[in-house]
Amino acid sequence: MVAEILEVLQPAPGQLAVDLTLGYGGHAASLLKAVQPGGRLLALDVDPIELPRAEARLRAMGLPPDSLIVRRSNFAGLAGALAAEALPPADAVLADLGVSSMQIDNPSRGFSFKRPGPLDLRMNPRRGQPASALLATHDAAALATLFATNADEPLAHEIAEALVARQRTTPILTTVELADTIREGLSSVPTKGREHEDPNGAVRRVFQALRVAVNDEFGALEALLRQLPDCVAQGGRIAVLTFHSGEDRRVKQAFKEGLRGGVYSHISDAVVRASAQERHANPRASSAKLRWAVRS
């Protein structure tokens, strides 16, 4: 959704833009070009593996070295990053939430069940505990709450019971073991009313719920939404790209509250979706929801 994001943010030469989730660097490259000449891009990402690779790609564009500032930080560290670099409030801020394609496609990171890998799911594998450790320390009630809260999983209780039963005999340490246990646990659950559901839907939702928990994604998002008004210049624009309802609800609520309180002068009336052409070319864009706000 690069074109849609640029339309929303309207970056211009000489401005300060921020990409809070650098990832591969696709959005950042477009923003960096748009603020030239004279503009700067502050790019953040918590992933110590992908961050230097993305920075190298951006540096290879041949733009002035001081036009790009890269920091390894969670997006909740926006205010701190601006202060550390002695930067003013930003003119354009982008947050592309969720997991990046490089993380999904690398089986050693444990973000996907399509290929075997360690059940990790950490954006920063050097901090915190992997998802396998979280599974081993939560009882069925806690897991059910986590699956329902973080991913709206309708069969949260049944899946949690199946995972705890499996853990009593064999630890769940890999992505494939987790996926297989979920499918096996649901094989005896009546399918009435769910006949047309994607059989891997529950697996994806559990992976999402665990990823959100391991990385405290909702906590980081809420911290970002609280500090955004102080980090954006008057008339500055914010774009947030979400990929599931838990993220979108929080962004929608924060923007509405900001509009009522006079913090934002305008917000998106409805979500902006990827074009049919992009959804066909990139199925991962199908769940993307873009919301925007303008600082008063």
Side-chain angles (χ1 to χ4, degrees), residues 39-85:
R40 290 176 291 176
L41 174 73
L42 171 64
L44 307 183
D45 204 297
V46 74
D47 191 328
I49 297 172
E50 295 298 336
L51 181 65
R53 299 171 183 171
E55 181 177 2
R57 285 189 285 268
L58 295 175
R59 298 287 181 196
M61 293 168 59
L63 296 172
D66 61 355
S67 66
L68 174 64
I69 304 163
V70 178
R71 292 181 64 89
R72 183 161 67 83
S73 171
N74 186 290
F75 48 74
L78 171 59
L82 289 172
E85 299 293 340

Side-chain angles (χ1 to χ4, degrees), residues 33 152 179 199 273 284:
K33 290 177 185 176
D152 300 319
R273 296 277 194 173
R284 289 175 184 168

Side-chain angles (χ1 to χ4, degrees), residues 31 49 54 66 69 72 80 143 175 188 208 211 225 230 248 258 287 293:
L31 288 170
I49 297 172
D66 61 355
I69 304 163
R72 183 161 67 83
L143 287 177
T175 56
S188 60
Q208 171 188 306
R211 192 200 77 220
L225 293 169
D230 295 327
D248 183 59
S287 58

Side-chain angles (χ1 to χ4, degrees), residues 19 47 102 144 148 164 169 176 197 200 217 220 229-232:
D19 186 340
D47 191 328
M102 301 87 64
V164 170
T169 58
V176 172
E197 182 179 321
N200 283 321
E217 292 180 31
D230 295 327
C231 297
V232 181

Side-chain angles (χ1 to χ4, degrees), residues 5 35-36 69 77 95 118 127 130 140 145 154 171 199 207-208 229 253 267 273 286:
I5 287 169
V35 297
Q36 301 309 310
I69 304 163
R127 294 188 62 184
T145 298
F207 269 73
Q208 171 188 306
Q253 180 180 355
I267 64 171
R273 296 277 194 173
S286 299

